[in-house]
Amino acid sequence: MSAANTGVPAPLDTPLPSPVPGDEHDQCPVTDVLRRIGDKWTVLVVVLLGQRPHRFNELRRGIEAISQRMLTRTLRGLEKDGLVHRKVFATIPPSVEYRLTPLGRSLLEPLSGLARWAVEHQPAIAASRRVNNLPPRTS
Amino acid sequence: MSAANTGVPAPLDTPLPSPVPGDEHDQCPVTDVLRRIGDKWTVLVVVLLGQRPHRFNELRRGIEAISQRMLTRTLRGLEKDGLVHRKVFATIPPSVEYRLTPLGRSLLEPLSGLARWAVEHQPAIAASRRVNNLPPRTS
DNA sequence: CTGGATCCATCCTGATACTG
DNA sequence: CAGTATCAGGATGGATCCAG
């Protein structure tokens, strides 16, 4: 935190990859990533796997509220995108280990930036939600 | 960029606010924020407003593919959370100006971090998606 | 110009039951 | 243990029409 809120729009060292083509109907990478990790469980799983590799039911116990189905789906999505590696041990009973790939680990860093912002400003957002519970506009 | 990808897991200066309570059924602030900005249009609107204030139809033209309804909904959501300020000019015809609040502007920074990651790794993700188009596992 | 109201298709998520 | 299959409810997004 150096020059924080001086009132100036803050010229951002990374200009965010341009508004969008407009007439292009496929979305920009940013939106794409946001939608991938913006679901209900992905971030939780990534964070857990960021600590160490986990087995399936280990993740399940770590999250608790997640259903078996959603954990599978979440892991499949992450695996498909190359963020998580799935390693099967042909034992009896079978066991499967999930771990972040280097690509997946590289996500932890920008994610932590957003996490810090979220934790820091969550009270302000919550407050704004309470106040601005859509009171009729002037009328 | 100092120590970038050395292969080591990178110990993250911000440890991401802990996995989750587990038995708590309300989500952590990070998930909350991710779900707010993880929808189809929010980030696009925020980015546009990050450049300068816009009027309603100006935003609409800037995004093009967005429907009137979704632009309204997106803006209402951002307004409710205190990220966007809505200023009405009682002219004829009426005009409304939207601009980021300081809170909204503060989001641009962590967002740009994620944006940089997305742009940088989007090719790898796309490639992984093509390869891993869910080929039947062994079978 | 700005936006509300409706209707509808689709996606996401959860609960439950079953399998190698 | 680690999943898959199926069904149902809610959320999300789009099209269209109407209004101040």
Side-chain angles (χ1 to χ4, degrees):
Chain A
M1 258 65 98
S2 43
N5 290 351
T6 60
V8 247
L12 281 193
D13 54 346
T14 304
L16 292 166
S18 168
V20 274
D23 47 353
E24 296 284 338
H25 51 310
D26 54 339
Q27 59 223 354
C28 68
V30 183
T31 297
D32 185 60
V33 168
L34 261 306
R35 301 213 80 185
R36 150 87 39 234
I37 68 175
D39 66 7
K40 198 169 181 180
W41 305 109
T42 294
V43 171
L44 259 44
V45 170
V46 168
V47 168
L48 278 181
L49 293 181
Q51 301 175 347
R52 55 179 169 82
H54 283 68
R55 292 178 48 185
F56 187 85
N57 276 355
E58 206 174 353
L59 284 171
R60 229 191 137 178
R61 283 188 295 272
I63 297 183
E64 187 84 4
I66 198 174
S67 68
Q68 204 175 44
R69 181 180 127 87
M70 287 317 296
L71 180 54
T72 300
R73 285 177 64 92
T74 301
L75 287 168
R76 290 284 177 278
L78 289 168
E79 186 192 2
K80 177 174 177 180
D81 283 6
L83 300 176
V84 161
H85 175 71
R86 181 177 183 269
K87 189 174 180 181
V88 182
F89 297 90
T91 58
I92 296 180
S95 85
V96 179
E97 182 196 79
Y98 293 93
R99 66 167 64 227
L100 291 185
T101 62
L103 181 61
R105 272 195 306 273
S106 72
L107 175 60
L108 290 175
E109 203 165 292
L111 194 55
S112 83
L114 206 63
R116 183 170 50 245
W117 185 91
V119 172
E120 187 174 344
H121 297 286
Q122 192 266 341
I125 293 178
S128 177
R129 280 181 189 168
R130 277 190 299 275
V131 175
N132 243 339
N133 210 2
L134 277 292
R137 224 175 306 283
T138 68
S139 76
Chain B
M1 273 39 120
S2 42
N5 289 350
T6 60
V8 248
L12 280 192
D13 52 347
T14 304
L16 290 167
S18 171
V20 273
D23 46 355
E24 295 284 339
H25 52 310
D26 54 339
Q27 58 223 355
C28 68
V30 183
T31 297
D32 185 60
V33 167
L34 260 307
R35 301 213 79 184
R36 149 90 34 237
I37 68 176
D39 66 6
K40 197 169 181 180
W41 304 110
T42 295
V43 171
L44 260 43
V45 170
V46 168
V47 168
L48 278 181
L49 292 182
Q51 300 175 346
R52 57 182 168 79
H54 283 69
R55 291 179 47 186
F56 187 84
N57 274 357
E58 207 174 353
L59 283 171
R60 234 195 132 175
R61 284 188 295 271
I63 297 183
E64 188 85 4
I66 197 174
S67 68
Q68 204 174 44
R69 177 181 186 275
M70 288 318 296
L71 180 53
T72 300
R73 284 176 64 95
T74 302
L75 288 168
R76 290 285 175 278
L78 288 169
E79 188 192 1
K80 179 175 177 181
D81 284 6
L83 299 176
V84 161
H85 174 71
R86 181 176 182 269
K87 188 175 183 182
V88 183
F89 297 90
T91 58
I92 296 181
S95 85
V96 180
E97 184 196 78
Y98 292 92
R99 65 167 65 228
L100 291 185
T101 62
L103 180 61
R105 258 177 284 126
S106 72
L107 174 61
L108 290 175
E109 203 164 293
L111 194 55
S112 83
L114 205 65
R116 183 170 48 244
W117 185 91
V119 171
E120 187 174 343
H121 298 285
Q122 193 266 341
I125 294 179
S128 177
R129 281 182 189 167
R130 277 191 299 275
V131 174
N132 245 338
N133 209 3
L134 276 291
R137 223 176 303 284
T138 71
S139 79

